Amino acid sequence: MFRAFWPFALALCAASATAGEVTSFDLKNGLKVVVIEDHRAPVVTQMVWYKAGSADEKPGVSGIAHFLEHLMFKGTDTVAPGDFSKIVEANGGSDNAFTSSDYTGYFQRIAADRLEMVMKMEADRMRNLKLSEDDWKTELQVIIEERNQRTDSDPGAIFSEQRRAAQFLNHPYGTPIIGWRHEMEGLTRQDALDWYRTYYAPNDAVLVIAGDVMPDKVKALAETYYGPLAPSDGIGERKRPQEPAQLSERRMSFKDPRVAQPYVTRSYIAPERDASDQKKAAALTILAAALGGSSQTSILSKALQFDQKIALYAYAGYDGTSYDDTTFDLAVAPAPGVSLADAEKAMDAVLADVMKNGIPAEQFARIKTQIRAENIYAEDSVASLARRYGEALTTGLTIADVQEWPAVLDAVTQEDVLAAAAEVLDRRRAVTGWMMPEGATDNTTELMQ
């Protein structure tokens, strides 16, 4: 089975619960349970989200959150190593896991009448994981090889990793989720057990059950299987080192002979979605959609790809579902014969025009319509709904925030977007990077203003 960290970015809006009722309750041991009813098909998704990701790791053991994700499939006294996924598959289901900066999650999608089976197995490994010497040593080589394949052999991935480290000088978001290689190589069984015993506990987890279920039945099962699990006394407030104020632009260039297509990127520190205060994040979400949400109609694409024909690709992105401050990102890949310097200047000219003249009214209205449509379409996937609630509840948001998000987006005005853009799109708080093939000219100094 494919095991990997999942720094996934969700759709522009989190769905409301019109596909079914949303019920929540807490067990006595601290486990929060969310039930999303959807009786259109006799299937169910179980997701367990732990409020611990790579940004919660102690210095020197980067990658331990992702390493433990792999080790969670090594078995317990009642489930043999490697049998968890085999049992799920034998019962017609599928399962996987993911690690991000802010959380780690495990899920199964299976027939509704098999919910008790997967709930019993998932609860079992929450507190009863067994790790042999062979298990952890073998899996350590697996994650190192994963880094070889996904990062070290990909110049774009290396460039991205270096840019993020330049962006976050003090906050642990600057450390890659998979870990720095030299620290990964030193991870031990005890490191994994320390992480597991601290964070893999009911009082640091959210259980989301979505699909053809009834809340009272879910509550009974949760109390039976998760209820007896002891909470951890090692759970404290999530306090992380924060970034000092960035006072000047940071610039970097990365050269690699394997680079086939050069491009320029820029990322700005940006606020995340905050509980009961999502207006600014909503404005940035719409700004990202306007600038680069569509390869055909977005402002950057239209200006640089079609009107000026100086770019092959243009992008803008923002995902505010983050525990701490996140980033607002831009990228432009220049057309053949166009320098990175010219591509960056053209990108900045487009940004300046938007700051001066705003988003065309017709395009602003179209984006609002697209967001409403995406909100409706999102409800077609019960698994997507489960992810939205799980991600929100592990990054400081509430069920009410998830349900109110579409309305907050719909209420955003042009003035809100321009105010957010003026605050965030400040090059003094940005990291600008050039990726280019070996031997290319690095003339970034001419752009430092």
Side-chain angles (χ1 to χ4, degrees):
M1 173 175 289
F2 175 68
R3 309 282 179 221
F5 58 86
W6 185 13
F8 50 62
L10 299 180
L12 288 178
C13 54
S16 67
T18 55
E21 294 296 322
V22 176
T23 306
S24 68
F25 54 88
D26 295 341
L27 299 187
K28 292 180 180 180
N29 58 11
L31 179 69
K32 175 171 283 296
V33 184
V34 178
V35 182
I36 306 170
E37 294 180 62
D38 187 330
H39 302 289
R40 292 175 293 181
V43 296
V44 65
T45 295
Q46 172 180 238
M47 305 190 82
V48 171
W49 298 69
Y50 293 99
K51 299 177 184 178
S54 62
D56 299 296
E57 297 166 343
K58 294 180 180 179
V61 290
S62 64
I64 193 64
H66 176 236
F67 185 29
L68 197 277
E69 176 214 313
H70 280 241
L71 292 173
M72 282 292 283
F73 294 86
K74 293 306 179 182
T76 66
D77 285 338
T78 59
V79 178
D83 278 3
F84 190 105
S85 297
K86 293 178 182 177
I87 293 170
V88 173
E89 184 177 1
N91 281 270
S94 60
D95 75 318
N96 215 320
F98 49 88
T99 306
S100 87
S101 297
D102 294 319
Y103 47 78
T104 310
Y106 303 83
F107 67 92
Q108 304 86 40
R109 186 176 187 273
I110 203 163
D113 62 1
R114 302 293 197 276
L115 174 60
E116 182 172 6
M117 180 195 73
V118 294
M119 190 177 285
K120 180 180 180 180
M121 291 180 9
E122 192 66 80
D124 180 33
R125 67 175 175 175
M126 180 179 281
R127 277 313 213 182
N128 301 312
L129 180 67
K130 301 296 182 183
L131 294 180
S132 71
E133 289 292 323
D134 289 340
D135 285 341
W136 77 266
K137 289 181 179 178
T138 300
E139 206 61 41
L140 181 60
Q141 297 310 308
V142 170
I143 64 167
I144 290 173
E145 181 57 28
E146 184 177 331
R147 181 180 169 90
N148 287 339
Q149 294 180 2
R150 293 180 169 272
T151 303
D152 297 335
S153 64
D154 181 352
I158 298 173
F159 178 52
S160 178
E161 186 176 84
Q162 292 292 305
R163 285 188 294 110
R164 195 158 181 86
Q167 185 87 66
F168 294 98
L169 300 183
N170 195 50
H171 192 284
Y173 283 166
T175 300
I177 294 169
I178 198 168
W180 297 115
R181 184 187 183 95
H182 67 286
E183 293 184 348
M184 293 169 66
E185 292 173 340
L187 294 177
T188 67
R189 176 177 180 271
Q190 190 60 51
D191 292 330
L193 289 174
D194 289 345
W195 181 265
Y196 173 70
R197 290 167 180 164
T198 300
Y199 295 111
Y200 278 53
N203 56 324
D204 202 42
V206 177
L207 170 65
V208 182
I209 305 294
D212 190 18
V213 294
M214 298 300 293
D216 56 348
K217 179 65 177 297
V218 172
K219 186 173 184 179
L221 290 173
E223 288 176 337
T224 297
Y225 295 109
Y226 290 99
L229 302 179
S232 172
D233 60 6
I235 304 300
E237 184 180 353
R238 298 175 88 177
K239 292 184 177 180
R240 298 163 169 172
Q242 298 298 303
E243 281 297 291
Q246 182 178 341
L247 304 178
S248 64
E249 182 182 18
R250 299 167 193 156
R251 300 190 66 91
M252 59 171 289
S253 60
F254 176 76
K255 298 180 182 180
D256 191 293
R258 297 168 294 180
V259 172
Q261 173 60 58
Y263 56 87
V264 57
T265 66
R266 184 177 298 146
S267 54
Y268 307 82
I269 292 290
E272 79 282 10
R273 287 168 61 185
D274 290 321
S276 303
D277 184 14
Q278 303 183 89
K279 182 176 178 180
K280 190 176 296 183
L284 291 172
T285 299
I286 290 178
L287 176 64
L291 288 175
S294 167
S295 61
Q296 301 296 319
T297 62
S298 68
I299 293 173
L300 282 171
S301 295
K302 187 174 184 300
L304 303 183
Q305 293 177 234
F306 300 105
D307 294 345
Q308 302 178 40
K309 300 186 185 332
I310 65 170
L312 299 176
Y313 172 76
Y315 165 82
Y318 168 79
D319 178 10
T321 311
S322 174
Y323 192 79
D324 292 315
D325 281 351
T326 183
T327 59
F328 188 99
D329 304 309
L330 302 168
V332 174
V338 177
S339 70
L340 287 172
D342 287 341
E344 184 180 344
K345 288 178 180 177
M347 177 182 75
D348 282 328
V350 173
L351 296 178
D353 182 71
V354 170
M355 296 291 292
K356 179 180 179 180
N357 300 312
I359 301 168
E362 181 180 344
Q363 183 166 11
F364 191 80
R366 183 171 62 248
I367 291 169
K368 287 288 194 74
T369 300
Q370 289 172 343
I371 287 176
R372 296 186 196 105
E374 288 171 0
N375 184 49
I376 295 171
Y377 295 149
E379 297 185 12
D380 286 339
S381 170
V382 68
S384 293
L385 287 177
R387 288 197 295 269
R388 281 166 173 78
Y389 281 93
E391 186 182 37
L393 292 171
T394 49
T395 54
L397 299 174
T398 67
I399 290 175
D401 292 322
V402 176
Q403 296 176 340
E404 293 167 4
W405 179 237
V408 176
L409 284 165
D410 202 42
V412 170
T413 66
Q414 280 262 21
E415 291 73 21
D416 295 332
V417 172
L418 291 180
E423 176 183 336
V424 172
L425 303 187
D426 182 343
R427 281 178 55 174
R428 293 171 299 178
R429 302 178 64 207
V431 174
T432 303
W434 286 11
M435 187 171 89
M436 63 194 85
E438 197 71 57
T441 302
D442 179 0
N443 57 345
T444 59
T445 53
E446 69 180 75
L447 294 166
M448 298 185 69
Q449 301 173 359

